[in-house]
Amino acid sequence: MAKVSSAVVAAGGLVGGYGVARWTRKRPLGGAVLAVAGAAAARQWQERAGGKAAGALTAAYVAAFAGSHPLAKKVGAWPSVFGVAGAMALASWAVADRRG
């Protein structure tokens, strides 16, 4: 079975978490999606790039989520979410996915 890259998992968690929260109007449900995807990506980062890289990428994932909020006030919600998801996907690919 083919593995989904950690870049896709991380970006999908950010976009999916926001989408679920927005469409269901239940922020905790969106947070659960965000957390599950983040945990899955962190496990992949650990396996592919080691503990230090996984810690740094996990911190970047949390920072992307937090940073999307003030950015949304400037560019809008969806552009903000897609922007931070793209940045997170790029970081994940560069650090963990391109090696394997």
Side-chain angles (χ1 to χ4, degrees):
M1 184 156 101
K3 288 189 176 182
V4 176
S5 75
S6 63
V8 172
V9 174
L14 290 161
V15 173
Y18 175 69
V20 167
R22 182 169 179 141
W23 291 318
T24 64
R25 299 191 197 290
K26 297 186 186 317
R27 292 179 72 176
L29 187 57
V33 170
L34 180 81
V36 167
R43 183 169 183 214
Q44 288 181 314
W45 295 329
Q46 171 73 33
E47 291 171 358
R48 296 177 184 172
K52 287 183 181 180
L57 287 168
T58 300
Y61 185 78
V62 173
F65 167 69
S68 70
H69 291 82
L71 182 59
K73 292 180 181 181
K74 297 187 183 296
V75 300
W78 279 113
S80 172
V81 170
F82 286 131
V84 299
M88 191 65 235
L90 181 61
S92 182
W93 175 82
V95 173
D97 292 339
R98 76 175 165 167
R99 296 178 183 190

